[in-house]
Each structure stands twice: as structure tokens, then as C-alpha cells.
Amino acid sequence: MKRLLAIVDAGDAGVTGVLAGEALRRAARDAGRSIEIELRTAQGVVNPVSAGRDDMLLFVGTEGSADAATRERADRLLTLEAVLADPAAALDVGDKPGTSTKKVVAITSCPTGIAHTFMAAEGLQEGARQLGYDIHVETQGSVGAGNPLTPEQIAEADVVIIAADREVDRARFAGKRVLASNTKPAITGGAALIEKALAEAKVQGGATTAASTPEATERAGPYKHLMTGVSFMLPFVVAGGLLIALAFALGGIHANDEANAGTLAYALFTIGAKGGFALMVPALAGYIAYSVADRPGIAPGMIGGMLASSLGAGFLGGIVAGFIAGYGVDALNRVIRLPKNLQGLKPVLILPLLGTLLTGLLMIYAVGTPVAAVLSFLTEWLRGMQGSNAVLLGLILGGMMAFDMGGPVNKAAYAFSVGLVASQVYTPMAATMAAGMTPPLAIALATRLFGNRFTADEREAGAAAAVLGLAFISEGAIPFAARDPLRVIPSLMAGSAVAGAISMVAGVELRVPHGGVFVLPIPGAVTHLAAYVVALAAGVVVSAVLVGLLKRSVAQV
């Protein structure tokens, strides 16, 4: 039998580390095995161990606390909490004869379907490799499902992991053990998330009708429902915005005047404004409702969104309508009980009808007018922002974009700016995109100006970060920020805040909510292009210099 070794990296939680070590020791003794345990705390290392090629090595701690060599060598990565919860399971390292390899399937997805989707997939794949498990990951990105899971793979899986920042359809996993999470745990600790799934996943209930039963799934929160709506709204915003920009490029600022009817520019504007933009709010509301109540929520939500647009309540009204429709249909689904032979009527007739009636009446008689007044006030206030007010909003949006680079705070600023595009307020969108491009571009510049602050691998990764930054993918800076968050994140926030503030003060307007520098050359997509380039350059330089000044050289770390 192989020699069993464990490294317990407790950091400042020394007492917890000692308890985890003793729990492993007792579990090994009960199993008739011997174990050597190295304890790492803030005070030093106790009983250091050296693992040979044939030894089984467990690493207990956060994945980020292990150096690359230890992560590569470890046969299993565990958290302190997992060891204390079930030390016997922690020792099950799979070296017994006849033990079958665990099989895992997963879905990863984020609101924009770009960076976090694929970073989460890579994290899970690396975690499965470390654990010696088989894994198949379906990425639900911006262009559909990549590497879709087959029914055979799902049937053979021991557990299903859904690492998504928006709601995904779980109907095909009925009867399987499912664990739902956001993308961050998959990115930062794929192995730990897989272990958690194997230990804590719950059986998914059937989903043949409206929504799953209360005990079937963990219920997502309002933030995830909102991000689901935003993710489905984005294609309408992008298509509509680009078509309107092209219309202005071909026909001038008056391309939409009736005098130009029949021209290509007028047709493009009609498609973009009366087609793409007209469907933005209904799509937002419909898919918020879908996230809450599944398919029966789509019709009430979209109809509520159309009413919000007609009442002048805009994207704020769409958000309200989506939640009214979603939670209303969900409540009706729980309250209404029908004979078994009539259950099929609920999702296609009863719930959409009653949900639409509830949402429509509330929007017309209770919600629409007050929300329209709030949106009108917000729109006029933003349009009239000058001087210090514009600076303040730019600073706030910029700082939010760099705070967690793709996390909830970043997405909140982004969703706010995208929503205002529907109200023809384009300055926050410009500030947000400039601020979102700044972190990875600044990191790329810092790796060139201050090479001694970065390892050889980091300097090489700087080029990739630059490409991601140009494409408005803030997540390109995450690996650098994760290694030194207390110095890097404030530096990036400062530069992004500067970029956002300059953009707002210059009155830059951006009609397209994604694409980075690649959409800037399109005529009409952005106003005051020179000022926008200055804002972006200033933010990048500020962040790069601060990173260089605050980070210590690699030799000092």
C-alpha cells in the first residue's frame, strides 16, 4: 500500500489546521493506515514531509495557498471544512483495487458568455485532472453550447456541476445529483468545487412542467435572475446599436427623418431602432421571468416588458415586470392544484394566461406610471450631468468595473449602463467599457515597464491580457490580481475610475455595449473618439504605474 502523506496549510487559522490534522490522523488510524502530516501555519511549518513519486499526497487548504509544484504533485486538493466534515472521505484517495474513476459532467455559463464561461470550464477540467476524475464540460457561451453533453454522458455521471452566473435549464438532469454554483469557485478552485459536489449535491427533481418543485433545486437569487435577463437582452442591444450607428454613418444624423424614407440609411435605422431596440426591454423582462419560473414565465414577462416600453417605464419597468411575472407565475404554479390528467394545461394555458393577466394589470394600474416617472427623472439627470456630477458617476462606474472584474459588482455597473442604452443615454456605456478595458491593458503595460515585478510566466501572459483588454474582457487581469490582490486591485480601480471620469466629462457616447476597440472604428458607434482614446490611455497608464510602484519585485516576494 502506498505511503499516505498530507500537507495542511492553515495560514492564520492555526487551530482549525491542528483540528483538521488530528481528524485525518484519527480517520487513518480507524482505517488501519498510517499517515504523515505536515502542518503549515502563519507561525511556521511543523513536521515537514517529502513526497516521493509513489506516495499519495493530500493537500488541505485553499487552492490558491498551494504553490504550483504542490498543486501539480498533490493527488487530491481538499478544503479544511471538507476534512472536518468528513475526514474518512478525505482519505479515500482511490488507490484501492477495483475502485472506479468518478465521472463528472458540468455546465459553465456567464451573462455575456465570453470569459468567465471558459475560465470556469478550464478550472473544472484542471481540478478533475488533479483528482484523477473523468469530466465533460458544456460551455454555454455567447454563440451557443460548446461541447454539448450527450444523454450517455449524463446518464453515466456521478454528479452534475452547474457553474453559472445565470440560470440554465436543468430539465435533462432529472434524477441526477446536481450542485449549482456561480463561476468563481470553478475558476479559483475547480478541484475543491468537484469535491464539494460529490459530497453535497442533491438529487434534481423532474422539470416537465413549469418550475421544479421546491425541494428539487436550490432557488437562484434575484441577481442571477437579472443577469439571465441581461444575457438574453445583449444581442438585441448589440445588433440594434450597430445598425443605428451604420444608419447615421451612411445618412448622417438625420437618417431617421421621414424625408429619407426609402433610403438604405432609413431602413437600417428602422431595423435597429424599431426592431432591435424595441425588443430589448421585452427580452429583458421575459428572460428574467424565465429564470424565475421557467418557460411559463416567458410570455407574461415579455408582455409585461412591452407594456413597460409603451408606458415609458423603459428598462426599469422591464426589470420590475420580469420579476412580477416570474414570481407571480411561480406562486401560481405552487398554489394551483389540478388533477393529474389536467396537469399538462398548466404550463401552456393556465399559467401563461393568469401570469399575463396579473403582470399586465399591475403594470397598467400600479407600477408603470411611478416607474416611468423615476426613469424620466434618471434619464434627464444623466443627460444634464456636467462637471463634478459627471466626474463622480464616471469614478463610481470605473471603480466598480475593476473591483471584481466580471463579478457581481462589475456586472451591476455593466447592467446599469446597458439598460440606459434603451433610454438613449449612451455616456455611462462609454465610461463603463473604457473602465472595463483598462485593467488587462494596464497589466500588460506593467509587465513591460516593470518586468522585475512579475515572474517569467506572468510576463509572457501579459500579451494575452492585452488582447483580452482590447476586446473588453476585464477578466484578463484576474490571474494577476489573484496573486497580489491588496496591491493590484486598488491600482486597477484607480486607473479604471480615471478612464470612466474622463469619458464622462468629455461626453463620450457609445451605442454598442461590447466589442472593445474593435467597434470604435465603426462610423457612428462612438462620439468624441479622440477624447475616448485619451480616457482609455490615461486609465491604463495610471493603473500600470501604480501596479509598478506598489508591487514588490519577484526577488522580494
Side-chain angles (χ1 to χ4, degrees):
M1 185 175 289
K2 298 179 179 180
R3 191 166 63 121
L4 186 57
L5 310 175
I7 297 176
V8 179
D9 192 339
D12 294 327
V15 174
T16 304
V18 171
L19 293 174
E22 288 304 310
L24 286 174
R25 204 182 306 277
R26 287 196 302 272
R29 185 172 60 246
D30 293 342
R33 305 189 64 174
S34 62
I35 186 171
E36 296 182 36
I37 300 175
E38 174 184 316
L39 177 63
R40 300 177 181 177
T41 68
Q43 287 71 42
V45 179
V46 179
N47 188 38
V49 299
S50 178
R53 184 168 57 184
D54 295 328
D55 296 330
M56 298 299 296
L57 177 64
L58 309 179
F59 180 84
V60 182
T62 61
E63 186 179 8
S65 65
D67 55 68
T70 301
R71 287 199 305 271
E72 184 71 23
R73 172 63 187 84
D75 295 286
R76 197 168 192 184
L77 299 175
L78 299 161
T79 63
L80 291 166
E81 293 77 11
V83 169
L84 291 173
D86 194 348
L91 292 178
D92 183 13
V93 291
D95 61 333
K96 299 175 184 178
T99 301
S100 60
T101 302
K102 297 289 186 183
K103 294 185 178 181
V104 181
V105 296
I107 291 178
T108 62
S109 185
C110 67
T112 53
I114 302 176
H116 272 54
T117 298
F118 301 100
M119 293 169 70
E122 291 175 3
L124 289 171
Q125 288 164 346
E126 174 62 18
R129 187 195 65 77
Q130 294 170 359
L131 297 169
Y133 298 160
D134 290 336
I135 189 168
H136 296 278
V137 183
E138 176 182 308
T139 54
Q140 294 191 0
S142 55
V143 292
N147 190 31
L149 300 174
T150 65
E152 293 76 17
Q153 291 169 342
I154 296 172
E156 295 173 357
D158 295 291
V159 71
V160 178
I161 298 174
I162 298 177
D165 295 324
R166 66 180 184 89
E167 194 61 28
V168 299
D169 187 359
R170 307 185 193 182
R172 52 184 161 155
F173 304 125
K176 303 297 294 187
R177 297 178 63 236
V178 177
L179 179 78
S181 158
N182 57 34
T183 55
K184 186 175 181 180
I187 294 170
T188 59
L193 182 60
I194 293 172
E195 292 286 10
K196 180 179 180 182
L198 289 168
E200 302 178 11
K202 298 178 181 178
V203 175
Q204 172 77 25
T208 55
T209 60
S212 300
T213 54
E215 65 275 14
T217 66
E218 290 184 33
R219 295 183 60 76
Y223 173 78
K224 182 171 282 190
H225 301 318
L226 175 61
M227 287 299 104
T228 300
V230 170
S231 71
F232 282 99
M233 178 182 74
L234 273 178
F236 296 94
V237 184
V238 173
L242 283 174
L243 288 170
I244 290 172
L246 288 173
F248 288 149
L250 293 175
I253 195 66
H254 300 294
N256 60 319
D257 289 352
E258 289 298 327
N260 294 317
T263 65
L264 177 61
Y266 186 87
L268 292 176
F269 183 88
T270 301
I271 297 169
K274 298 182 180 179
F277 272 23
L279 288 171
M280 286 164 47
V281 174
L284 173 67
Y287 282 97
I288 289 174
Y290 162 74
S291 180
V292 177
D294 214 310
R295 291 180 182 85
I298 293 180
M302 285 195 167
I303 293 170
M306 288 292 291
L307 290 172
S309 295
S310 65
L311 293 169
F315 83 99
L316 289 180
I319 293 172
V320 174
F323 282 112
I324 289 175
Y327 286 114
V329 170
D330 185 63
L332 290 170
N333 181 51
R334 294 166 187 273
V335 170
I336 297 173
R337 294 286 183 266
L338 296 176
K340 188 173 182 179
N341 59 336
L342 296 178
Q343 282 288 337
L345 293 177
K346 281 178 67 174
V348 297
L349 174 61
I350 296 173
L351 295 179
L353 173 61
L354 295 181
T356 299
L357 186 64
L358 171 67
T359 306
L361 291 176
L362 285 176
M363 289 300 298
I364 292 173
Y365 290 111
V367 176
T369 301
V371 174
V374 172
L375 180 67
S376 176
F377 170 78
L378 176 63
T379 302
E380 292 306 315
W381 176 67
L382 288 170
R383 283 178 175 159
M385 288 189 90
Q386 301 289 334
S388 60
N389 287 337
V391 170
L392 179 60
L393 181 60
L395 288 171
I396 294 172
L397 289 174
M400 291 175 69
M401 289 299 293
F403 177 75
D404 52 3
M405 289 165 285
V409 176
N410 170 287
K411 287 295 188 290
Y414 181 68
F416 169 77
S417 302
V418 170
L420 288 172
V421 171
S423 302
Q424 290 80 52
V425 178
Y426 305 110
T427 49
M429 190 67 252
T432 296
M433 193 158 88
M437 289 190 285
T438 295
L441 290 174
I443 286 293
L445 180 60
T447 60
R448 298 296 181 265
L449 298 179
F450 308 97
N452 65 329
R453 305 293 200 271
F454 301 91
T455 65
D457 289 342
E458 289 175 327
R459 291 195 295 272
E460 184 177 344
V467 175
L468 293 174
L470 292 173
F472 183 36
I473 299 176
S474 308
E475 291 88 340
I478 287 177
F480 300 87
R483 293 186 180 97
D484 193 2
L486 295 181
R487 295 181 179 87
V488 173
I489 291 178
S491 302
L492 300 180
M493 289 179 65
S496 290
V498 168
I502 294 176
S503 176
M504 286 294 299
V505 169
V508 180
E509 295 184 343
L510 181 68
R511 296 177 179 273
V512 187
H514 219 293
V517 299
F518 302 105
V519 301
L520 301 186
I522 298 174
V526 62
T527 63
H528 308 299
L529 181 58
Y532 198 50
V533 172
V534 169
L536 178 60
V540 169
V541 170
V542 167
S543 283
V545 171
L546 287 175
V547 167
L549 292 176
L550 295 180
K551 273 183 69 71
R552 292 178 293 177
S553 66
V554 174
Q556 292 177 295
V557 177

